[in-house]
Amino acid sequence: MRCHAAPDIPGRPMPTATEDFVRGIWKENPTFVQMLGMCPTMAITNTVKNAVAMGVLTLIVQFGSNVFVSMFRKRIPNEVRISTYILIIATFVQIVDIGAEAIMPDMHKALGAFIPLIVANCLLLGRQEAFAAVNTVWRSGLDGIGMGLGFTLGLSTVGTVREILGSGSWFGIRVMPAGFEPWAIMNMPPGGFLGFGLVLLALAWWKDRAARRAAVRSALGRPAATTALEEVTV
Amino acid sequence: MKHHLFILLSAALVNNFTLVMFLGLCSFFGVTKKVATAVRLGIADTFVLVITSISATILNKWVLTETPYLRVIAFIVVIASMVQITEMVIKKYSPKLFRELGIYLPLITTNCAILALALFQTNRGYGFLEGLTFSIGAGAGLTLALTLMASLRERLELADVPAVARGAAIALIIASALSMAFMGFAGLLTNP
């Protein structure tokens, strides 16, 4: 739960393009594993639609600023690098803000102050510092798209939990039976914390169950299969 | 006077920046293990908020009149430099606090509460004094939320939490309860 991503482990073979791309979606998912950019994760996930829109906007900024930082990585002086990254991010955020206002004014209104606040999303700065500043443009671009997609996945998962419980619908389509009494609290501020808490609880439970099963399997003498989530903990 | 009291209480309690508006959550979950550190971070945050509010007023009045689309960029640069100044001041006068806050001190820059304050102040058209009141209220609210969360988590150290919920999950569920408590302030004020 801190705002800097782990650097690549030295001595490992060069990751392939697929690895660069997939890393952000699952293994180092910004929401579930790195827990970065928590503010939008809780503030605008009351519906899946908002969550996806926010995820896509963040993806664009992450991709654009990753490519830019990577392009100028040899020219940016070390002493002022953080301020330079922030300036590059802020420029892309401004572009996205104006673009969103023109293309989808309703959504722009719903997301409100959280679009300019993408600047302060520590996921972006974390990726520039940990990845884009030391890698090629191609790899940084892939990493940016992967992280953006991972963030979108995280947001929409929390959004799914909150919208189904809070309004009985998913992406605006009613999914719960007519007799379902919506949990009003899920649409209100406490629901943001609770929804994300429930998602993390479910993930921890799943990880725990997988670990227990592996233990039973190895006790029985069968080879243990590792799931993707177990790899995350390693 | 009544107007200023309204702004102050609204920012501190009714629309608490952390628990109701979801701003500055990284440090809210990161630095709330010990009450003493949480209070000090709250004070450092408040200091940066007040300076940011003053700078934002100046920028809005004299610099950004013709170029409102440069607002986010201008604000973030000012905030980054203000945080740098705060960092140097704290390093000089309290090296112990400097070590305790660690990475979260430079990260005040990416604390969205600070940028949000500057943006809200602009959107609501607050003047110099109103902005000052707003920033003090927001800072007090942040400090209050950080302190409450830290005291709860200190108590939680002694509680018997199920293994799966330990760590982030239980912290979020506690924050949810705290946020629910703050919803009780909703009817406290009516716009005069």
Side-chain angles (χ1 to χ4, degrees), chain A residues 80-100:
Chain A
V80 292
R81 65 181 196 288
I82 300 285
S83 341
T84 318
Y85 300 160
I86 289 223
L87 263 183
I88 293 175
I89 295 170
T91 314
F92 276 99
V93 167
Q94 194 61 52
I95 295 170
V96 164
D97 191 23
I98 297 172

Side-chain angles (χ1 to χ4, degrees), chain B residues 86-102:
Chain B
T86 317
E87 203 182 331
M88 290 194 292
V89 169
I90 292 183
K91 200 175 177 182
K92 177 98 172 49
Y93 289 102
S94 172
K96 191 166 158 272
L97 176 61
F98 183 75
R99 277 196 306 278
E100 271 174 20
L101 294 178

Side-chain angles (χ1 to χ4, degrees), chain A residues 39 114 117 120, chain B residues 22-25 108-117:
Chain A
C39 302
F114 279 92
L117 286 180
Chain B
F22 301 110
L23 298 166
L25 291 179
I108 295 180
T109 312
T110 52
N111 184 333
C112 37
I114 316 280
L115 182 61
L117 178 108

Side-chain angles (χ1 to χ4, degrees), chain B residues 74-154:
Chain B
F75 284 167
I76 198 78
V77 171
V78 168
I79 291 170
S81 6
M82 288 309 154
V83 171
Q84 194 79 56
I85 292 170
T86 317
E87 203 182 331
M88 290 194 292
V89 169
I90 292 183
K91 200 175 177 182
K92 177 98 172 49
Y93 289 102
S94 172
K96 191 166 158 272
L97 176 61
F98 183 75
R99 277 196 306 278
E100 271 174 20
L101 294 178
I103 182 78
Y104 287 97
L105 193 55
L107 282 177
I108 295 180
T109 312
T110 52
N111 184 333
C112 37
I114 316 280
L115 182 61
L117 178 108
L119 292 171
F120 288 157
Q121 184 186 329
T122 314
N123 289 349
R124 296 177 192 175
Y126 284 164
F128 176 71
L129 275 180
E130 288 163 321
L132 212 56
T133 319
F134 185 47
S135 61
I136 291 170
L142 269 181
T143 315
L144 179 65
L146 284 169
T147 316
L148 285 174
M149 187 67 181
S151 357
L152 280 170
R153 285 179 87 174
E154 269 189 9

Side-chain angles (χ1 to χ4, degrees), chain A residues 55-193:
Chain A
V56 171
L57 294 179
T58 312
L59 189 155
I60 299 169
V61 176
Q62 176 83 73
F63 173 74
S65 50
N66 257 12
V67 167
F68 238 74
V69 166
S70 179
M71 240 193 291
F72 293 104
R73 69 185 184 281
K74 294 197 178 111
R75 290 178 175 259
I76 297 172
N78 200 37
E79 298 78 26
V80 292
R81 65 181 196 288
I82 300 285
S83 341
T84 318
Y85 300 160
I86 289 223
L87 263 183
I88 293 175
I89 295 170
T91 314
F92 276 99
V93 167
Q94 194 61 52
I95 295 170
V96 164
D97 191 23
I98 297 172
E101 199 171 4
I103 299 167
M104 37 181 199
D106 292 342
M107 187 51 79
H108 182 263
K109 219 171 189 176
L111 297 179
F114 279 92
I115 297 182
L117 286 180
I118 297 177
V119 182
N121 186 334
C122 32
L123 166 67
L124 300 160
L125 196 59
R127 284 328 281 173
Q128 327 284 262
E129 173 80 355
F131 200 90
V134 286
N135 285 299
T136 56
V137 176
W138 165 243
R139 288 190 64 196
S140 304
L142 281 179
D143 178 78
I145 299 179
M147 284 290 160
L149 284 179
F151 192 60
T152 314
L153 176 75
L155 287 186
S156 31
T157 312
V158 180
T160 305
V161 172
R162 285 185 73 185
E163 196 180 338
I164 291 182
L165 292 179
S167 330
S169 59
W170 189 80
F171 224 102
I173 307 156
R174 195 161 176 89
V175 288
M176 293 302 256
F180 174 74
E181 186 72 41
W183 304 9
I185 197 82
M186 289 312 255
N187 282 334
M188 286 190 266
F193 292 108

